[in-house]
Amino acid sequence: MAKQYVYLFSEGNAKMKNVLGGKGANLAEMTAIGLPVPQGFTISTPACTRYYEDGKTIGEDILSQIYAALAKTEEIAGKKFGDLNNPFLVSVRSGARASMPGMMDTILNLGLNDVAVVGLANLTNNERFAYDSYRRFIQMFSDVVMEIEKKHFEAVLDEIKEAKGVQFDKDLSADDLKELVKKYKALYLKEKGTEFPQDPKVQLLESIKAVFRSWDNPRAIYYRRMNDIPGDWGTAVNVQSMVFGNMGDDSGTGVAFTRSPSTGEKKLYGEYLFNAQGEDVVAGIRTPQPIEKLSEAMPAVYDEFVKVANTLESHYHDMQDMEFTIERGKLFMLQTRNGKRTAAAALKIAIDLVDEGMLTEEEALLKVEPKQLDALLHPAFDPKAIKAARAIAQGLPASPGAASGSVYFTAKDAVVAAKSGKKVLLVRRETTPEDIEGMDLSQGILTQQGGMTSHAAVVARGMGRCAVVGCGALKINQDEKTVTVGGETYKEGDVLSIDGSTGAVYAGAIDTAEAAVAGDFARFMGWADKVRKLKVRANADTPKDAAQAVKFGAEGIGLTRTEHMFFEKDRIAAVRQMILSDSEAQRREALAKILPMQRGDFEGIYKEMGERPVTIRYLDPPLHEFLPQHDQVEEIEKLAQELGVSAESVVAKIEALHEFNPMMGHRGVRLPITYPEIAEMQTRAVIEAALNVRRETGLNIKPEIMIPLVGEVKELQFVKKVVLATIEKIFEERGEKVDYLIGTMIEIPRAALTADEIAKEAEFFSFGTNDLTQMTFGFSRDDAGRFLESYYTNKIFESDPFARLDRAGVGQLVRMAADKGRQTRPDIKLGICGEHGGDPSSIEFCHIVGLQYVSCSPFRVPIARLAAAQAAINNR
Amino acid sequence: MAKQYVYLFSEGNAKMKNVLGGKGANLAEMTAIGLPVPQGFTISTPACTRYYEDGKTIGEDILSQIYAALAKTEEIAGKKFGDLNNPFLVSVRSGARASMPGMMDTILNLGLNDVAVVGLANLTNNERFAYDSYRRFIQMFSDVVMEIEKKHFEAVLDEIKEAKGVQFDKDLSADDLKELVKKYKALYLKEKGTEFPQDPKVQLLESIKAVFRSWDNPRAIYYRRMNDIPGDWGTAVNVQSMVFGNMGDDSGTGVAFTRSPSTGEKKLYGEYLFNAQGEDVVAGIRTPQPIEKLSEAMPAVYDEFVKVANTLESHYHDMQDMEFTIERGKLFMLQTRNGKRTAAAALKIAIDLVDEGMLTEEEALLKVEPKQLDALLHPAFDPKAIKAARAIAQGLPASPGAASGSVYFTAKDAVVAAKSGKKVLLVRRETTPEDIEGMDLSQGILTQQGGMTSHAAVVARGMGRCAVVGCGALKINQDEKTVTVGGETYKEGDVLSIDGSTGAVYAGAIDTAEAAVAGDFARFMGWADKVRKLKVRANADTPKDAAQAVKFGAEGIGLTRTEHMFFEKDRIAAVRQMILSDSEAQRREALAKILPMQRGDFEGIYKEMGERPVTIRYLDPPLHEFLPQHDQVEEIEKLAQELGVSAESVVAKIEALHEFNPMMGHRGVRLPITYPEIAEMQTRAVIEAALNVRRETGLNIKPEIMIPLVGEVKELQFVKKVVLATIEKIFEERGEKVDYLIGTMIEIPRAALTADEIAKEAEFFSFGTNDLTQMTFGFSRDDAGRFLESYYTNKIFESDPFARLDRAGVGQLVRMAADKGRQTRPDIKLGICGEHGGDPSSIEFCHIVGLQYVSCSPFRVPIARLAAAQAAINNR
């Protein structure tokens, strides 16, 4: 039997998401449980994959399945394509496995042609409606499917409005619209060289292909990358009988959530517009009515909708985000899905659903996207600073958090500014899917139009980016790049602040205060902690970071970068003196100055961490990083003076230390091999600090000494010998001992390949996946920006390997090293301390290969705790 | 039973080289076949390893075995340590598995003390001889074993000579020497704080430990690195009864080869000195007599020696290098080993031994060190230039080849100059083992003293470095760093030339001519070609290189670097125009200028190579490499003028293209992903050239297109699509087709890790082990110099991973990639084109993992052919 590529809604169910896409599967499920769904069929995601495999054509077998499904749907609807009396009209919408709102294309009113429009007029007894629908369809089809620029149509529309002396579209008469249709068709002929297709089947096939193509448009690619959605999934296409919310004042359309997507409050939450088509609500062009108002306007429809909403939530065990249309007083469900929500809402809903007995604790853990927690953890405005701040406008609190930034008025400008290092606030009349990268790179988003379910609001919440929307007081001048509010004008680059939790907009920058982690949060994280196998540590270089990490639940420090301390103002002079030394004796003299400072740092960190393990990485970067740049003349002269040498000799040393590829140069373990006295000093600082803190506090401090950049066991052997000799000496001097471990980072491919040998010397491995990714790919992180954009555009990469661990390559090395390490030393401690330690997909991989812990920045600790729990649940 | 660490000579044989070292095994073998060998015992190489493992002490078990062997040896000799009447004296010499001449320590006359010296005087009836031996022993022991500087002893000796009014050591009387011994002992006491050890057993143990220690002295480490000798082999120690060549004029000592080590001529070849101790000959202090003269002076001894030499050569099936001593008319053999020889001698001897029926062809192949062939292949002086050159002196032709260079008078100065890029000629009174690095880095070596078996001669031959020795006309002033010859004085940095095949020294530089490869060579290489499994290709970027490669037997080109052509003066302008383009259109315009030049290059190469395969690698380096440097103001202005833009805009572009780590930056496959038009142009050049040459010559050209730096199959997929589309277009335009392959380099660790995926697109893999080594180790080849020296000194590395393929790490990736590649595509073509393709050990590895070919520089092709043959023989 031929493979099935096309499914009637009545043939599917919610479990078939991979084949039908999310939208298709849920339409089928709603059909199955008897909800009022306009019928139709879904062209499956494998059909999309086939489309690309077949060189962007639809195979004959799929075509005939489409026609068969179409015929059955016509039969169900009792209508026919292009029929003069009872014309069949459909919407064509994308629907991938994962929700990608607004990323791909939609075509409404398909099936209209010169005949069907008459049929529609007759059927609805509304000629104006019919021709309005027709002209909208021609424009949408021309724009979305045939790629004729929208502006041409807008120009024609403006022309006719001027000629007729009317201001708004709605004031055009049926005849005016008929004339407009004619002009649109002429425009189409001029642009494409062929007549506007009158055959609805042709319209349909072209539209299906357009949706398939839109799977690979740049904004969809960007969205997938941001959300870890594989490019080979493809999208399904849903062809659904049209219902009309714009058939008059007894019709309407709306979207609603079963609980508040902002706070999680258990209350129907949504908006609707009378006499409007679906896209009008989410496009944010008209400001809609809150859903409660529907109970007054159409109580029966409202009651039915409430019932449907409850049914759906109970059915899916999750908060639902629904689209509906009311056609002449009759309710139709166009879509339902698990609703996107803020972090706070996600937490509250998860906990409420457990308390309501709808979910188990483990199921609840899977309902919260770990990355979302970020929003809960990020600073809000400092309450004191807020009092002093000047509020200039009020919008809708669309996505919580607080942000200050320089205003930019196009996504493109925002991207450029953000990439140049600026904190950016994106200010738009309304956002569109094209803006997605600019939104992602901004601190916050501020829009003039649109509601809580507008594009800006939905996308910002998904990103965890703070947003204020629908702030009507703003007057944006796109050309001059200014925004005027309350009589004052702010130009590009001026700083504003927004509070996404209150909707307030302030002039100037405002200090932020730390996130306050609430009780709900602790309860939820408690569930995660019960389930997860991975320990979670933090990367922390200072006592302050360490304290923050403990607050967020870190169980130790996985990485203290000792060099971060070297850069501090009061010690850089001694560090530079060390680097510029000509002899070991001089170097030792400089190191002697650094020792007490470094020891003090470690004492501070140990005190914060108590008896939790603390991993201290020895000096890693190339020494020239600590020297002034070549052209920093003043700095060089100051340094020369401090050291009592000539500026020339400082310059000469800087030149001598120059490296062609510093990332692969004289750094890491290579430093103590040439200058063992550096390792001696650092060992003294680590061990003496531990002894001091134990004496002072009675706490049993257990430092873990980590040697970076090892690629060959003999490197580690050499430095370990230096470290051990120093420790023995300290123990003898002090007459007391302390426990410690000596281990290494695995961040050089050769270390992974020879991990069995390295484990003979190392008591622990910590995977430094930043460097390991660089070396495994041969990419310099600092330079890859130059070409990675082309990689995404050409679908060579789907995600940034520095953000999400590459399982096929880097992951293979991690797994190999873990296996080889355990083979030599079954009880070897294994962890990860690269950026990936805070990324959920990477954390899942760490769980799968059996690492003991991940280590990430303090703010990511809760994310890691949740991701680790989800990994444990999903990989049983 | 306890493990045996000590073997009497009578207990061993030649096969026990790994345990007894080369010298010990051969002493045992000579004992076994009844040759006159002073008896003794060998402390094995595992004892040396134990010594290091046990923290530089000799274990009790080994000690007792030494004492037992000592007792038996005393019994055989009928003498006793420290005996007043018949004192037992021994030599203590190192002897590793592989010959390391002069690298480690030797102690003679051990056993002498205040009593034994009287016994020796009585026994030999020669008091002067006895005390002369004693004072030599004290000095040698103090210097070599106790590390008291030699100069202290020399000062005392000079003092006494002055006091006695004599000029030479030999004029000191027995009483003078007795006084000298007293003063030496006082000096020892002063320096060490203890009496000179009178107990011969203490002397012996200290000496054994000194030999063990000397295994790790810096020159031994350097020698091992140069000769690929593993550091964990250790050295054996040979303790042998002393015989005396300095007992008067009926005594003597010498070294000889069974055939000429210089030419291979079948003729006994050597030197001897009467009344001298062993080291006097090789030290080059006195100029010795040719061995033939011995037949006049001592015909019976000479005849016996000739018989012994013949026996040994037949026994070992190889040319022997022997040391002998004549004590009062009696011949003793002190050592035999396979003699080091020049490349020409090695070839001739190998071929002669086959013709004499002593070796099979395959055995003969193993007798020639592949790297030695280098010497045969390197240029000699141009015969015409020689006629015009001014010869200023004549020395001994110690090691063939020709060299011009700036003269330097210490090895240290030579090293510095060579590392700064100078061509250096090392000029020394005589060389010592400390000079080894300076010798290695020089073009040639010129000495004033010493014979054909002096240190300079032996080492230079081993290195394949050209050398002229014993050139007595030179007057070297070490302090002023000048050499005077024929009334003219040359100072440091002046240029001289030497011809190591004739012994001539010339003023100034002389042009060189290509090596002429002789008939012997072709016959020998023919044997290699019969045996080897690996094909040998060459890396060649020009028709000239290609022709050279074919001449040396290359079977194809494994790597044509297309960018080398870009640097040529007449095309760099177009290349720069391409790089500075702001748009694809501009870039295409510039590429159109480059196309005909590049096509012409390929046509030239194809014509030279005929139907042999030619692999062409697409543009690899980062584009900024083609631009002038930041500070090359004139170049930049010229370029700006040529392009009709401002100098500022050129500078801005240079800055924009700057990369932090260019090795891991925008290069290789990443270039055509951002600029596909570059790959289009290169494809056009490759394919059109093939069509053109076929039309012109009828030859069936088969280009292999190689995409560099791939780490992910989709990169290759993308570029392959561009290449294939271009090829299809050309085929259509031209109405004819040509065969081709499309493959990739495996030079990024991730490519090796995902080679199964990459093989889906690649028809061949070529291992780019230069980059693969960089990425696998995380070493930048350009920066590693900064720390690799410490790696060698600290025995972290024993060889340069860029010269010799690291089997444990890089090799693991190569093997993995080969296996995975074949798994996907069983007939995949596998080769290597990194520097390692010309290194014998790396070639052996390629044979073992089953690659089809290696590719190396044209001059290394014969080396690779031989190394491939040896790999096939040794890995059956």
Side-chain angles (χ1 to χ4, degrees), chain A residues 522-596:
Chain A
R523 187 171 164 214
F524 184 77
M525 294 312 295
W527 298 342
D529 293 344
K530 270 194 282 182
V531 176
R532 67 187 162 92
K533 296 275 176 285
L534 282 167
K535 299 257 175 212
V536 176
R537 297 192 188 185
N539 300 345
D541 305 338
T542 62
K544 190 178 155 226
D545 287 354
Q548 182 70 64
V550 169
K551 211 165 127 193
F552 282 145
E555 295 161 292
I557 289 181
L559 175 64
T560 291
R561 284 161 290 235
T562 51
E563 63 270 13
H564 279 208
M565 306 162 179
F566 281 23
F567 283 106
E568 280 179 27
K569 239 183 175 172
D570 54 335
R571 48 186 83 175
I572 187 74
V575 172
R576 286 172 172 177
Q577 183 188 337
M578 171 190 82
I579 295 166
L580 297 171
S581 296
D582 288 322
S583 68
E584 189 186 319
Q586 272 184 32
R587 208 156 30 241
R588 284 190 181 280
E589 198 183 300
L591 285 166
K593 289 187 204 164
I594 301 170
L595 172 60

Side-chain angles (χ1 to χ4, degrees), chain B residues 545-745:
Chain B
D545 287 355
Q548 182 68 67
V550 170
K551 210 164 126 192
F552 282 146
E555 296 162 291
I557 288 182
L559 175 64
T560 291
R561 284 161 289 235
T562 51
E563 63 270 13
H564 279 208
M565 307 162 176
F566 281 24
F567 283 106
E568 280 180 29
K569 237 181 176 171
D570 55 335
R571 49 186 83 174
I572 187 75
V575 172
R576 287 172 172 177
Q577 184 189 335
M578 170 189 83
I579 295 166
L580 297 172
S581 297
D582 288 322
S583 68
E584 190 187 318
Q586 272 183 34
R587 208 158 29 243
R588 284 191 180 279
E589 197 184 301
L591 286 166
K593 289 187 203 165
I594 301 171
L595 172 61
M597 312 188 218
Q598 182 122 87
R599 187 171 51 216
D601 294 328
F602 297 148
E603 286 167 0
I605 290 174
Y606 293 154
K607 282 181 196 163
E608 292 295 346
M609 296 308 294
E611 298 195 340
R612 297 177 187 89
V614 174
T615 308
I616 294 170
R617 181 181 71 186
Y618 279 20
L619 189 63
D620 188 46
L623 296 180
H624 57 74
E625 282 197 9
F626 299 99
L627 296 180
Q629 292 296 301
H630 228 90
D631 47 1
Q632 292 178 295
V633 180
E634 268 176 55
E635 275 281 294
I636 288 172
E637 276 175 7
K638 201 178 130 220
L639 178 57
Q641 222 160 13
E642 279 168 12
L643 300 178
V645 298
S646 70
E648 289 73 40
S649 83
V650 172
V651 170
K653 191 81 180 191
I654 293 173
E655 268 167 26
L657 287 174
H658 167 265
E659 293 187 310
F660 296 97
N661 296 284
M663 193 62 74
M664 310 167 86
H666 192 192
R667 53 176 288 237
V669 70
R670 300 159 198 173
L671 294 171
I673 287 173
T674 43
Y675 307 128
E677 52 277 11
I678 298 178
E680 284 176 27
M681 182 280 284
Q682 295 205 294
T683 302
R684 235 169 223 289
V686 166
I687 298 295
E688 290 181 351
L691 291 169
N692 293 349
V693 173
R694 186 176 62 188
R695 186 167 292 180
E696 189 185 328
T697 63
L699 288 168
N700 196 14
I701 307 302
K702 192 170 176 185
E704 301 179 347
I705 292 172
M706 180 156 74
I707 309 300
L709 220 70
V710 166
E712 155 63 43
V713 65
K714 288 181 185 167
E715 294 174 317
L716 181 57
Q717 241 163 16
F718 179 90
V719 178
K720 193 174 163 187
K721 217 178 267 181
V722 173
V723 170
L724 287 177
T726 308
I727 292 178
E728 280 311 309
K729 218 158 135 193
I730 299 168
F731 287 172
E732 215 167 282
E733 289 163 12
R734 302 272 299 234
E736 50 180 344
K737 296 189 175 198
V738 75
D739 283 342
Y740 59 87
L741 293 179
I742 299 180
T744 185
M745 290 187 75

Side-chain angles (χ1 to χ4, degrees), chain A residues 664 715 750 780 786 791 806, chain B residues 664 715 750 780 791 806:
Chain A
M664 309 168 86
E715 294 175 317
R750 196 174 186 280
S780 157
R786 201 174 299 260
Y791 274 58
D806 156 54
Chain B
M664 310 167 86
E715 294 174 317
R750 196 174 186 280
S780 157
Y791 274 59
D806 156 52

